[in-house]
Amino acid sequence: MTTTYAVLSEGLEKRFGEVRALRGLDLAVAEGTVCAVLGPNGAGKTTAVRLLTTLLRPDAGSARVAGCDLVREAAAVRHRIGVTGQDTSIDGDLTGRENLRLFARLHRVRGAAGRAAELLDRFGLAEAADRPASGWSGGMRRRLDLAASLIRRPEVLFLDEPTTGLDPASRTLIWDAVRELTGQGTTVLLTTQYLEEADRLADDIALVDRGRVAHTGSPDQLKDRIGAYAEVVVADADALVRAAGVLDRLTGAEPSLDRERNAVGAVTRDRTLTLPRLVRALDAAGVPLLDATLRPPTLDDVFLRLTRPSAHLIDDKERAV
């Protein structure tokens, strides 16, 4: 079965003076899926979104979005996508309903009033619809911003940290909307600071590090690369060394010591290692044990293990264009 890609980039590069924000970005997002782009601050996530939404022009490389060439068919790309950026695009002097009707008219959407009412209801904004948006809470304004990006039913929706600063209820509403959209065939490219969000929403994840996609895969596939994490808390500092030796032997990985807590931990890819086996090995070594845990990896573990800080790069948020 041939996969059709809603977003496909090869070798995208972008410079800002002497800074190489993107260094050959290769990205493939299948139609009707959610792809989460993760990475440290300054890794190039927002720059990638700005390029793929035609707000910036690449210095090198190529990309197709919704079947259209990013450079040669930029107007066609803009017609097929929706974008919710980090900064809200709504007018605070207008009511919520007026904002959505304005976006509908700008995009020449028929039945603007009906479409606005539909979106206001979907995002729980109907009661406040006829009040100026300047008096709305930050979460409500963020939901209105997302509603505006959906006014035209886009083929590809770009969400750049859409739930930053939102309360759990607002975040859940946006998550539900994303799931509904992909169920209807829309492709979503998402950047987020919340790894739980990526874990719950994404079909695939692209880990961006220093301007390139360093790792890709589903959340479960990326977690499998890391392995489970075993941690032991012992009674005293003398036992810490013996516990570290046991973990070294069982996991084949160099243990990390937390001397303040008298704890030692190590990552293991050995799927046969169980908590009872770990406890028996520690007991056989005469380790006075206070606690032991063996937990599956999280996306936080993936993020910390597979990416590095990009302090030498300018933070994407500083490049307002």
Side-chain angles (χ1 to χ4, degrees), residues 158 195 308:
F158 291 86
L195 299 185
R308 298 168 294 172

Side-chain angles (χ1 to χ4, degrees), residues 29-46:
V29 183
E31 284 186 349
T33 65
V34 179
C35 177
V37 178
L38 308 178
N41 286 339
K45 304 183 299 297
T46 295

Side-chain angles (χ1 to χ4, degrees), residues 13-217:
E13 297 185 11
K14 187 63 184 178
R15 286 181 176 270
F16 297 93
E18 297 300 316
V19 177
R20 295 178 65 193
L22 293 183
R23 305 178 176 215
L25 187 83
D26 298 325
L27 185 64
V29 183
E31 284 186 349
T33 65
V34 179
C35 177
V37 178
L38 308 178
N41 286 339
K45 304 183 299 297
T46 295
T47 299
V49 170
R50 289 179 180 274
L51 284 174
L52 293 170
T53 56
T54 75
L55 294 175
L56 291 175
R57 188 181 180 95
D59 296 325
S62 63
R64 298 188 70 82
V65 177
C68 302
D69 184 89
L70 186 65
V71 175
R72 295 195 305 270
E73 301 172 287
V77 170
R78 288 192 288 270
H79 184 71
R80 288 166 171 77
I81 66 173
V83 184
T84 296
Q86 295 178 17
D87 299 316
T88 183
S89 59
I90 64 174
D91 187 332
D93 292 331
L94 301 179
T95 68
R97 194 182 309 277
E98 289 168 341
N99 266 284
L100 293 188
R101 286 181 176 180
L102 174 61
F103 275 95
R105 287 196 296 270
L106 289 172
H107 291 298
R108 299 178 182 177
V109 173
R110 293 181 178 178
R115 182 61 175 156
E118 175 190 342
L119 290 169
L120 288 165
D121 185 62
R122 175 191 285 186
F123 288 99
L125 299 171
E127 290 187 7
D130 297 309
R131 300 202 305 264
S134 58
W136 290 17
S137 70
M140 293 171 66
R141 290 167 62 89
R142 196 63 172 149
R143 280 182 272 154
L144 182 61
D145 200 37
L146 179 57
S149 71
L150 299 177
I151 201 79
R152 198 177 46 203
R153 294 184 174 88
E155 295 178 38
V156 183
L157 178 62
F158 291 86
L159 302 177
D160 194 10
E161 299 186 9
T163 63
T164 297
L166 295 190
D167 60 82
S170 295
R171 191 173 298 144
T172 298
L173 278 172
I174 289 180
W175 290 356
D176 290 343
V178 169
R179 294 189 185 99
E180 182 181 342
L181 286 166
T182 54
Q184 297 170 352
T186 298
T187 304
V188 177
L189 190 146
L190 164 77
T191 74
T192 179
Q193 296 179 7
Y194 300 113
L195 299 185
E196 177 196 5
E197 184 166 82
D199 205 356
R200 294 180 63 171
L201 288 180
D203 299 292
D204 293 291
I205 289 174
L207 277 174
V208 177
D209 196 15
R210 301 178 188 269
R212 296 187 179 93
V213 174
H215 304 277
T216 61

Side-chain angles (χ1 to χ4, degrees), residues 215-253:
H215 304 277
T216 61
S218 70
D220 287 342
Q221 287 171 337
L222 291 177
K223 290 174 191 176
D224 285 344
R225 296 185 191 181
I226 299 300
Y229 187 76
E231 184 180 69
V232 173
V233 181
V234 297
D236 52 54
D238 291 338
L240 198 60
V241 175
R242 297 201 301 278
V246 171
L247 282 181
D248 187 8
R249 176 169 54 82
L250 289 178
T251 67

Side-chain angles (χ1 to χ4, degrees), residues 236-296:
D236 52 54
D238 291 338
L240 198 60
V241 175
R242 297 201 301 278
V246 171
L247 282 181
D248 187 8
R249 176 169 54 82
L250 289 178
T251 67
E254 182 178 355
S256 58
L257 277 64
D258 182 344
R259 297 187 182 278
E260 291 185 3
R261 296 172 51 233
N262 282 334
V264 57
V267 173
T268 177
R269 292 190 178 88
D270 183 358
R271 296 180 181 273
T272 68
L273 181 61
T274 62
L275 188 58
R277 180 182 164 200
L278 173 62
V279 171
R280 287 195 300 269
L282 291 164
D283 184 61
V287 176
L289 184 65
L290 296 182
D291 190 24
T293 58
L294 182 65
R295 63 168 176 80

